[in-house]
Amino acid sequence: MIKIDTKAALGAVTENDINALHDAAEAAARTLADGDGAGNDFLGWLNLPSSIDEAQFNAIEQCATRLRRDCELVVAVGIGGSYLGAKAVIEALNDQFAAYKPATGARVVFAGNNIGEDYLHDLMGLLAGRKWGIIVISKSGTTTEPAIAFRLLKGQLERELGREWASQHIVAITDAARGALRGLATQEGYDTFVIPDNVGGRFSVLTPVGLLPIAVAGFDIRALVAGAVDMEHGGDQMMLQYAQVRNALYQSGKKIEILVNFEPRLHFLAEWWKQLYGESEGKDGKGIFPASVDFTTDLHSMGQWIQDGERTIFETVLTVEQQHHEVVIPTDEADLDGLNYIAGRRLGEVNHKAELGTRLAHVDGGVPCLVISLPAIDERTLGQLIYFFEKACGISGYMLGVNPFNQPGVEAYKKNMFALLGKPGYEAQTAALEARL
Ligand code: PA5
C-alpha cells in the first residue's frame, strides 16, 4: 500500500497550523461523500473503482485483445483528461525503450493532444504501410484538437486499409448520447464505450477512457482497478492528511507544489497530476500552482532554483521502494573515474541516496517535503496512487472553497482561437482580437 509522510513539512508550518485545518478537511470529505457541494453532478468517480463489474472488464478486455491482435499500432486520440491518464499509466509500466524493441502486441501511440503540424505529419508517416487502428476519446465529442487529428487519421486509415477495416478498427469513447463523435460513431458503426455523465475528464482514467488504451498496451486493468479499490476503502486518512498539510502550506505562503520523481517512468504521472490539480483548484484567483520535476535530471537545471530561489514552493516526492531490475556498478581496477567507492552497489541504492540527500538539502533550504512511498511501480500501486490523488484533490478543492469539478477558464483560449480562425458565430470578436495582435 502507498504511504504518506508529512513530517518534513514541519518547520514551514507547525502541528497547530495543520491541526487547525482538521475540521475543514473532515467537512470537505463529508461534503464529497454526501454529494451536496459544488459540482456534485460530477462525483461518479468516487465509487467508480468498486462499481466496475465483470461485464465491463470483459468488454474492455475483448476489444483490447482484438486491437492488440490485429494492429501493429493503435493511435489513442484525445486531450486533457481524455489523454493523460492512459499516457501516465502506460509510460509508467512500459519498457522505456519499447519503441526500439520487438513488440508482442499493438503499441499505443497518442495524437490529438496538440496541434503540432510536424507531430501529426511524422505520426502519419509512421502509420503508412502498417496495420493500425484508432481509439478516439472525447467526452464532449467536440474538442478541436482531437477532432482535427481524428479527421486526418480516419481519412488516412480508410484510404490505406479500406473502409471496412477502418470501421472495425476504430473505437469511439464518448458521451452516451451527445456530441459530434457519438453521431459519427453511430453512422459509421464503430464499437463504442461510454464515459459516464457524472465523471469529468480528469477523473476518468478508471473508465474506458484510460482502461481501454492501457489494456491495449498489454497491462492488467483489473490490478489497476483493484489498487484504486484499496484506496476507495482504506485511504481516507492519507487523503485527509495530504489535503490538510498542502492547504496549511498554501496558507503559509507556499503557493507552488512541485511533484518530484526520481524515476523517468513517472514523468507522465506528474503530467496527469498537474492536470488534475491545476484544472480542479486553479480558479477564482486561488489555488496551489502544480509543477513537476524529474530528478536527478532536473537537479542540474531546476535544482538551483529549488534550493535557492524564492521560498514559495514545497515538494511532494514520489519515492519508489522496489525496482524491477538490478544493475550493479562494476569495479574498475584503474578507478580513474573515482567511482570504486560505490562499486558493487545497485543503481537503485545510489538513486535512493541521491533522493535522501536532495530531500534533506531542500528542507535545509526552506523547501518543505511531503513524501509518498510506492512499494513498486506496478498496476496495483498506480491504481492506489490515482485514486488517492483524485479524492485528495476533491477534498483539497472544497477546503479551498472552489468547485473542483469545473474548468471555466479553459474556454477563454478556445473563444479567441475560434474567432481568429473565422469559425461561424465568432465574427464579432475577430476584428477586435486581430487589432490587438
Ligand atoms: O478534465 C477535463 O474535463 C478536461 O481536461 C477534458 O478532459 C479535456 O478538455 C478534453 O475534453 P473532451 O474529452 O470533451 O474532448
Side-chain angles (χ1 to χ4, degrees):
M1 194 82 150
I2 60 169
K3 287 188 288 256
I4 189 164
D5 182 346
T6 57
K7 63 178 173 295
L10 298 174
V13 287
T14 63
E15 292 275 11
N16 281 348
D17 296 329
I18 297 170
N19 290 339
L21 292 180
H22 175 267
D23 291 353
E26 294 275 356
R30 244 189 337 271
T31 304
L32 261 189
D34 295 346
D36 55 9
N40 58 358
D41 41 350
F42 284 102
L43 294 179
W45 54 274
L46 253 185
N47 304 109
L48 177 76
S50 60
S51 73
I52 302 176
D53 61 22
E54 196 56 26
Q56 288 170 286
F57 278 126
N58 282 338
I60 294 170
E61 285 167 345
Q62 274 166 22
C63 179
T65 303
R66 189 169 55 78
L67 290 173
R68 266 178 80 69
R69 183 197 62 211
D70 294 354
C71 301
E72 217 179 312
L73 291 163
V74 172
V75 189
V77 177
I79 195 166
S82 291
Y83 154 61
L84 282 161
K87 176 79 174 170
V89 172
I90 292 170
E91 293 290 315
L93 295 173
N94 240 350
D95 180 311
Q96 288 158 92
F97 295 92
Y100 307 98
K101 296 180 182 175
T104 48
R107 287 205 175 96
V108 177
V109 292
F110 293 87
N113 54 74
N114 62 64
I115 323 178
E117 193 161 11
D118 290 346
Y119 182 93
L120 212 61
H121 170 272
D122 292 353
L123 174 60
M124 291 169 86
L126 173 73
L127 298 168
R130 298 175 195 258
K131 292 258 196 296
W132 57 285
I134 303 173
I135 303 171
V136 54
I137 309 167
S138 178
K139 183 168 186 204
S140 62
T142 55
T143 307
T144 308
E145 292 90 337
I148 293 172
F150 183 58
R151 178 185 281 209
L152 282 155
L153 292 168
K154 171 180 182 288
Q156 181 182 1
L157 191 61
E158 288 174 349
R159 271 192 315 279
E160 291 180 357
L161 294 170
R163 285 201 68 160
E164 196 182 330
W165 169 279
S167 74
Q168 286 168 1
H169 295 89
I170 294 176
V171 180
I173 306 179
T174 189
D175 184 84
R178 286 185 300 260
L181 182 56
R182 169 59 57 188
L184 192 68
T186 308
Q187 183 188 301
E188 303 281 344
Y190 301 151
D191 278 354
T192 59
F193 289 91
V194 170
I195 307 174
D197 247 356
N198 58 359
V199 180
R202 57 191 174 276
F203 290 84
S204 69
V205 51
L206 300 172
T207 72
V209 168
L211 296 182
L212 182 62
I214 292 166
V216 171
F219 300 112
D220 182 352
I221 56 170
R222 291 174 191 254
L224 185 78
V225 172
V229 174
D230 294 339
M231 275 286 127
E232 185 186 327
H233 293 152
D236 280 7
Q237 281 317 311
M238 267 187 73
M239 296 155 194
L240 287 166
Q241 191 181 346
Y242 178 53
Q244 230 172 293
V245 175
R246 65 194 293 280
N247 277 287
L249 287 165
Y250 179 61
Q251 288 177 10
S252 80
K254 303 293 184 193
K255 305 289 185 191
I256 300 165
E257 178 176 8
I258 306 176
L259 192 72
V260 177
N261 72 75
F262 283 77
E263 297 292 339
R265 57 172 71 243
L266 292 179
H267 173 85
F268 276 97
L269 203 283
E271 297 302 312
W272 169 82
W273 172 87
K274 283 193 286 195
Q275 191 224 359
L276 180 64
Y277 280 78
E279 279 194 348
S280 299
E281 291 192 318
K283 53 196 68 160
D284 306 336
K286 299 190 267 191
I288 297 172
F289 182 84
S292 65
V293 288
D294 301 321
F295 285 167
T296 61
T297 311
D298 291 336
L299 284 172
H300 298 260
S301 62
M302 297 303 290
Q304 172 60 39
W305 200 105
I306 294 170
Q307 189 69 46
D308 267 349
E310 193 179 56
R311 303 297 72 188
T312 46
I313 56 174
F314 68 98
E315 291 180 322
T316 297
V317 179
L318 298 176
T319 186
V320 180
E321 287 161 16
Q322 203 59 52
Q323 312 303 312
H324 294 302
H325 306 288
E326 203 173 299
V327 177
V328 175
I329 298 168
T331 307
D332 184 275
E333 222 169 273
D335 195 28
L336 292 177
D337 54 13
L339 287 179
N340 272 356
Y341 80 102
I342 46 172
R345 290 156 93 171
R346 285 181 61 178
L347 223 48
E349 186 193 341
V350 177
N351 201 19
H352 189 57
K353 298 292 183 207
E355 179 191 321
L356 294 176
T358 306
R359 277 163 42 190
L360 293 172
H362 287 179
V363 169
D364 290 344
V367 180
C369 282
L370 319 186
V371 180
I372 297 175
S373 312
L374 284 58
I377 301 176
D378 55 25
E379 285 92 334
R380 187 133 192 166
T381 301
L382 289 172
Q384 291 173 5
L385 196 62
I386 285 168
Y387 189 84
F388 163 76
F389 276 138
E390 285 181 349
K391 188 157 175 193
C393 182
I395 296 171
S396 209
Y398 278 156
M399 288 176 75
L400 193 65
V402 299
N403 174 356
F405 306 113
N406 66 4
Q407 55 283 331
V410 179
E411 297 309 310
Y413 98 91
K414 292 185 190 169
K415 286 186 192 135
N416 287 352
M417 176 177 75
F418 293 150
L420 292 169
L421 284 169
K423 185 171 177 175
Y426 290 81
E427 295 83 356
Q429 294 96 311
T430 310
L433 287 174
E434 280 176 350
R436 290 172 51 198
L437 295 173

